[in-house]
Amino acid sequence: QIQLVQSGPEVKKPGASVKVSCKTSGYNFTYYGVSWVRQAPGQGPEWMAWISTYHGHSNYAPKFADRITVTTDSATSTVSLELRDLISGDTAVYYCAREDNWLDPWGQGTLVTVSS
Amino acid sequence: QSVLTQPPSVSGAPGQKVAISCTGSTSNIGAGYDVHWYQQLPGTAPKLLIYANSNRPSGVPDRFSASKSGTSASLAITGLQAEDEADYYCQSIDTTLSGSRVFGGGTKLTVL
């Protein structure tokens, strides 16, 4: 079956960077892009970025464009998100999701906690 | 402030019907972009419920239906069941945000 399995929880200090990985399986990796979405406690989802797993082209939400990088590794069918210059407001659950216009399925989520 | 506007909460008794609205603008829903709906149970990742305005993925009961008109969309749930209690989100694309995907603020459905 189609699965997106994310890396484990992270605790970071303000100003640090975090990298979250998303390993996919069960489908042809390069046929679908992958989006990253985060959800702060008690809030709705917030889209952050999309990457084409075919040619690596990415599209970032303007809010994150200056401190986010999304990469793809076809050899391991893995997409990664790096977020830099973390602040307390970045504390959230980060999800990857396969995108075929709509987002399905989603990874299990990775909790990133930013605290001094 | 979400780009797509949903009511914060709706409720209904078992067996009843409820509807959740999703209001956008001419830069997203009204520009012709599809609307998708997700269901999120407590402590879990969102799950695709409706795609491309009105289509149900396999496994989603036909009690769930949706439509789109103009700058708005709507999700309807008939024959409410206790297991339907969850948060529901609409999602589309917005042209003023460099093609960003945008979500509604979410609607908490309570089954009385």
Side-chain angles (χ1 to χ4, degrees):
Chain A
Q1 74 278 27
I2 298 168
Q3 284 190 302
L4 283 74
V5 180
Q6 300 181 220
S7 50
E10 302 268 9
V11 179
K12 297 292 183 180
K13 294 192 181 302
S17 299
V18 68
K19 191 167 187 177
V20 180
S21 66
C22 170
K23 183 170 178 58
T24 73
S25 61
Y27 70 97
N28 191 317
F29 180 69
T30 59
Y31 280 14
Y32 300 88
V34 172
S35 268
W36 286 93
V37 175
R38 76 176 186 181
Q39 190 169 27
Q43 303 298 311
E46 179 179 31
W47 180 79
M48 301 178 72
W50 168 86
I51 187 164
S52 163
T53 55
Y54 181 74
H55 48 55
H57 171 74
S58 56
N59 182 18
Y60 299 143
K63 174 179 179 178
F64 303 104
D66 60 349
R67 62 189 185 104
I68 190 175
T69 302
V70 178
T71 56
T72 180
D73 183 346
S74 296
T76 59
S77 300
T78 299
V79 175
S80 298
L81 163 75
E82 181 184 37
L83 189 63
R84 301 176 291 276
D85 301 323
L86 293 169
I87 61 173
S88 60
D90 291 320
T91 294
V93 176
Y94 290 73
Y95 295 102
C96 60
R98 190 183 76 165
E99 181 165 341
D100 184 13
N101 191 4
W102 48 90
L103 302 173
D104 179 59
W106 296 53
Q108 84 277 17
T110 296
L111 176 61
V112 175
T113 303
V114 183
S115 174
S116 55
Chain B
Q1 191 85 351
S2 300
V3 173
L4 304 179
T5 301
Q6 298 179 233
S9 63
V10 296
S11 62
Q16 287 190 331
K17 172 183 177 179
V18 297
I20 298 172
S21 61
C22 174
T23 302
S25 68
T26 54
S27 65
N28 41 68
I29 298 174
Y33 290 104
D34 287 338
V35 178
H36 317 299
W37 291 88
Y38 303 89
Q39 178 193 59
Q40 187 174 33
L41 299 171
T44 69
K47 169 194 163 187
L48 181 67
L49 191 66
I50 297 284
Y51 67 94
N53 306 315
S54 59
N55 298 280
R56 284 187 310 276
S58 61
V60 174
D62 59 6
R63 301 185 296 103
F64 294 90
S65 63
S67 62
K68 170 191 160 184
S69 178
T71 58
S72 296
S74 182
L75 172 71
I77 310 171
T78 59
L80 270 180
Q81 299 181 4
E83 67 206 49
D84 298 333
E85 188 160 294
D87 293 320
Y88 293 84
Y89 298 95
C90 59
Q91 180 248 311
S92 187
I93 289 175
D94 193 284
T95 58
T96 63
L97 297 171
S98 303
S100 292
R101 290 63 164 158
V102 290
F103 287 89
T107 299
K108 170 66 178 179
L109 168 61
T110 301
V111 181
L112 302 171

